[in-house]
Amino acid sequence: MVRTIAEKRLHTTVAKAARRADPALPGDLVATLKTPAGKRYSELERMRQPPTRTTGTAMKGALQRVEDIAAFQLGRVKLEQIPPNRLSALARYGLGTKAPKLERTPEPKRTAMLTAVMRHLEAKAIDDALDLFEILMATRLISTAKRSTDKQRLSTLPQLGRHPGSWPGRRRCSLRSWSSSRRPAAMWTWPRCGGRWRRSRPVRHCPARRSRW
């Protein structure tokens, strides 16, 4: 009993605030429950649907959704005296109700539910548009620019072999320095007189060819 009285008071307060902001606002909200000619669902159902694709056409539809909801100018409806959790519960109930059932709902409950639903959808439509814009920026613009930069950087790699400070040049210099800095190997020869091996003068290796000894 107490809960029913509190709900009726909430509906009356929200509906009065909507009429006080604009006498034509309740009628405009109820008009969203109608299905336009040639369409399969109502305008409210269309505004409920978030963008499902990451394309430019989806971004255009998301911005159009924001503009259509913002046309009701629900920010002028003064609802500061109502707890936010009560408005959120009313909006969740309205979002879970089909348009034909909302159309059959008696006043002032119908106006209160539509006002709460539109206020919720106004904030959600802006968030969805911003999220989609962020995804498009990351996948279409930033990734494309990064791939172009990587491709340009890879195109310069064949030129590194001719540059004195490049890695192939440094590798040849280091190998040459390493081969020239090695300790010369000693040569063992058979003398003309005598039968003993003796050690001859060391011979340095050629940097280009390695000795078989």
Side-chain angles (χ1 to χ4, degrees):
M1 184 66 179
V2 176
R3 183 177 181 180
T4 303
I5 296 175
E7 289 179 352
K8 289 182 178 179
R9 186 182 302 167
L10 174 64
H11 300 157
T12 303
T13 304
V14 176
K16 284 183 178 181
R19 293 190 184 93
R20 193 180 299 113
D22 186 0
L25 182 58
D28 294 339
L29 293 175
V30 174
T32 61
L33 301 176
K34 303 292 184 180
T35 303
K39 301 293 183 179
R40 295 183 298 176
Y41 41 82
S42 64
E43 284 296 306
L44 179 62
E45 294 294 337
R46 180 184 67 83
M47 296 177 186
R48 284 175 176 175
Q49 297 177 358
T52 56
R53 297 182 179 180
T54 56
T55 60
T57 304
M59 187 67 204
K60 180 180 178 181
L63 294 177
Q64 185 63 43
R65 179 188 178 212
V66 173
E67 184 178 356
D68 294 341
I69 298 175
F72 293 101
Q73 300 179 5
L74 294 174
R76 55 187 173 169
V77 181
K78 306 301 181 181
L79 299 174
E80 293 82 0
Q81 70 277 14
I82 301 177
N85 58 338
R86 299 292 301 278
L87 286 176
S88 299
L90 188 61
R92 286 195 302 269
Y93 183 78
L95 289 171
T97 306
K98 297 294 184 180
K101 186 177 181 179
L102 282 175
E103 192 175 4
R104 295 190 300 266
T105 303
E107 291 291 346
K109 183 178 180 179
R110 180 174 62 182
T111 299
M113 291 177 63
L114 290 175
T115 302
V117 167
M118 284 299 176
R119 282 173 62 94
H120 173 80
L121 289 179
E122 185 176 19
K124 190 174 187 304
I126 295 175
D127 292 341
D128 292 341
L130 291 176
D131 292 342
L132 180 58
F133 178 74
E134 183 179 359
I135 294 174
L136 288 176
M137 286 290 292
T139 57
R140 298 299 178 87
L141 184 60
I142 299 178
S143 296
T144 304
K146 184 177 182 300
R147 287 195 297 269
S148 178
T149 304
D150 293 342
K151 185 177 180 180
Q152 183 179 3
R153 183 176 59 187
L154 290 175
S155 64
T156 62
L157 290 180
Q159 303 175 4
L160 295 178
R162 297 187 296 270
H163 196 274
S166 62
W167 160 242
R170 292 197 304 268
R171 184 177 60 181
R172 288 194 296 268
C173 294
S174 60
L175 289 177
R176 188 179 296 111
S177 301
W178 174 81
S179 60
S180 61
S181 63
R182 293 182 61 191
R183 185 177 180 181
M187 297 291 293
W188 293 84
T189 58
W190 184 262
R192 294 182 180 179
C193 300
R196 294 178 58 188
W197 287 90
R198 62 186 181 88
R199 191 174 184 178
S200 63
R201 199 176 83 177
V203 179
R204 291 185 178 270
H205 286 286
C206 179
R209 299 177 57 185
R210 295 184 60 184
S211 173
R212 295 187 304 172
W213 300 100

